[in-house]
Every structure is written in C-alpha cells, then in structure tokens.
Amino acid sequence: MQLPHSRKNQAVANDIANQLRLLKHDVWIDTSSIVAGQQWDESIAEGIKAQAAFITLLSPDSVKSTEVKNELNMALSERKTIIPVFVAKVILDNEWQYKLSRLQLLNYEVDPEKCIADIHHALTLLDEVLFLPGDEVTDTLMNEQIRIFTFWIRRLIHSGGNSEHWVRFTGTVSNNKPQIILQRNQGGSLTFRTSSGLTRDSGMSAAQKQQLAMLQWQPDADGYVQVIDIDDEASLNKAANLILITFILAYGVDPDESIQVSHAL
C-alpha cells in the first residue's frame, strides 16, 4: 500500500503509516522507502506499480501539489485501489472532485480511530481479492471456482474478436440472483458488469456499496462496471478472483452455492 502526501503533511503521513504497520499492513511511503542513490521519480513510479492500494492524503497543500496529482493520475491509470483521506479541511476543486467522485472519502482529521479502522477494513478486503490459486489459505473449493472462472475468461479472450461474445455467471440459489457478465471489447479488453435484485439506490447496504467500491466496481446505469485488460496469468487470476470475491462479499453468495454459466461464444 502506497501513501503519497505533501511534505507539509509528513507528520500525519508517518502517523497513519505507523498505525497501519501495527495492523500488519505493508506500507510504502517515499521518505522512508527510497534508499540512498535511487532516482526519486523512478522509485515513486516503481512504488506505485508494486502496491495494490494507493492512499492519497487530502489537505490544502496536497491538492495544490503537482507531484501528488501526478502520483494519483498514475495510480488511476494503473487501476490501483484509491483510498482518499482528508487530513485537514479543504475544498476540492472540480478536477479533484472529478477524480474522486466515485470513491468513498475518509476523514482522519474528524475521527482518526474510525479512519484507520476503515482503511484497515479496505486493505483486508483487497488482500482477500488478491489471493492466487495454490495459496495455502485458499481451500480446494475456492480453487475449483477460480479454475472455472479462469476457463471461461480465457475462452472469451480467444473468442475471435467478436464484441458480441459474452459470458454470464449467475448465483442460482440467492433470491437476488446476482450476476456478473463479461463482454469482449474490440481492443481485446473485457468489460465486467455486475448487478442483482438489490438495486444500487435502495436495496444495497452501505457496507455492500463500500465493498464494491473497494473492488473497483464503478456505478453505471444498470449496476456496476469495470474494464480489465487480461494480458498475463497474474491479471487473469486477479480477474477470476474478482468474480469470486464479488459474489462472496458483495452479494453474500456462499462458495457452495451453484453458479450457473451461460454464454454466447
């Protein structure tokens, strides 16, 4: 997890980093994680790419910082999980409001204890979605589900470039009939869409919405969506894990529940 900040927020950045380390999270913060002799910009870029989550501290100084904006833009382009945290009162301009419009904003200044708890919860969820088949903590059933999802993702990727090709996974036992639909795009990426009988505006709890946001699902007209480039085995495994963890965490689907597969390939 990377923690970028304005230099004037150094004390609070160190405080947040230390509290998260006590909770056993790996924290990368530029002033303490760059060793002597390393190129500063290159090290920051490598740090962003290596971390799954990106916490940006919001204050009057940080929102004016070109460096902080550049780091956030790179984290967004790398599809990192973004966790914005207010550490001082600040009015966000249109650019910042646009970048953060679909994210849950946390407030360390108002309630530090709750803020750290919320960050800890978000990072724990992220750890769960990043497990790979073969991990000792992953049981056989989950590995089997991952293999099934991986099989269908791979088939869709190699479906011949037809943008009308799709695969749908539907939880068949849940009354809400949650589903995740994958569609192949012309450029080779996949669009993932998820919805259920729980409507976004009224049927979903705040916790469910938070879980979807932490898994990088973004609301659209029909539910939630994200576009994923599948260009290696790691991204393939992560996409399969996303499907499983979304069913489990957002919709309460038990791993034993039957998940029906339908497709147009």
Side-chain angles (χ1 to χ4, degrees):
M1 180 269 297
Q2 183 163 11
L3 205 159
H5 58 284
S6 165
R7 291 292 170 263
K8 293 184 179 180
N9 302 136
Q10 187 66 56
V12 69
N14 288 338
D15 186 43
I16 292 174
N18 290 335
Q19 291 186 66
L20 292 174
R21 286 172 179 141
L22 289 174
L23 293 169
K24 309 303 182 184
H25 294 295
D26 179 27
V27 181
W28 193 98
I29 181 170
D30 51 22
T31 54
S32 63
S33 302
I34 297 176
V35 300
Q38 284 185 303
Q39 187 72 27
W40 194 270
D41 289 346
E42 181 181 346
S43 297
I44 290 176
E46 290 176 353
I48 292 172
K49 291 181 177 181
Q51 302 298 318
F54 183 92
I55 299 176
T56 184
L57 303 187
L58 303 174
S59 71
D61 297 307
S62 69
V63 299
K64 296 176 183 177
S65 168
T66 301
E67 289 78 11
V68 172
K69 288 182 180 179
N70 289 342
E71 291 177 34
L72 176 60
N73 287 336
M74 182 174 181
L76 288 167
S77 68
E78 291 286 330
R79 298 186 57 78
K80 303 301 181 180
T81 293
I82 310 297
I83 305 175
V85 176
F86 284 103
V87 294
K89 289 183 176 65
V90 59
I91 297 176
L92 301 179
D93 62 21
N94 290 337
E95 179 184 5
W96 276 96
Q97 289 183 36
Y98 177 77
K99 292 179 186 298
L100 305 179
S101 61
R102 294 178 173 177
L103 302 173
Q104 181 188 17
L105 302 177
L106 305 181
N107 199 318
Y108 186 79
E109 183 191 32
V110 171
D111 192 340
E113 185 175 343
K114 182 179 185 303
C115 181
I116 293 297
D118 287 343
I119 296 173
H120 173 58
H121 177 65
L123 296 177
T124 301
L125 289 179
L126 189 60
D127 288 341
E128 292 182 26
V129 80
L130 290 177
F131 70 77
L132 298 177
D135 286 356
E136 293 182 2
V137 298
T138 307
D139 62 27
T140 304
L141 178 60
M142 284 193 175
N143 274 325
E144 181 58 28
Q145 293 281 17
I146 293 296
R147 280 191 285 271
I148 292 171
F149 297 147
T150 300
F151 169 80
W152 285 105
I153 294 172
R154 188 177 279 115
R155 277 201 59 184
L156 184 58
I157 292 171
H158 299 293
S159 60
N162 188 337
S163 62
E164 295 181 356
H165 290 175
W166 53 267
V167 175
R168 178 188 291 113
F169 302 105
T170 305
T172 57
V173 176
S174 170
N175 293 331
N176 298 316
K177 292 293 185 291
Q179 59 181 239
I180 297 176
I181 302 172
L182 284 58
Q183 185 171 1
R184 193 183 192 282
N185 303 317
Q186 291 287 4
S189 63
L190 300 184
T191 295
F192 287 60
R193 298 185 184 277
T194 184
S195 62
S196 77
L198 300 171
T199 62
R200 189 177 71 236
D201 295 330
S202 59
M204 301 197 74
S205 68
Q208 287 172 312
K209 293 177 182 178
Q210 181 187 37
Q211 287 160 352
L212 285 168
M214 293 305 176
L215 296 175
Q216 298 186 340
W217 290 102
Q218 300 180 359
D220 72 351
D222 300 316
Y224 292 83
V225 65
Q226 59 180 293
V227 177
I228 300 177
D229 291 311
I230 312 293
D231 47 20
D232 55 23
E233 284 299 310
S235 58
L236 177 65
N237 283 326
K238 185 175 180 180
N241 278 296
L242 171 69
I243 298 171
L244 179 62
I245 299 301
T246 298
F247 274 125
I248 295 173
L249 294 182
Y251 300 126
V253 174
D254 189 288
D256 287 325
E257 180 176 1
S258 174
I259 296 178
Q260 183 182 51
V261 182
S262 54
H263 61 88
L265 295 175

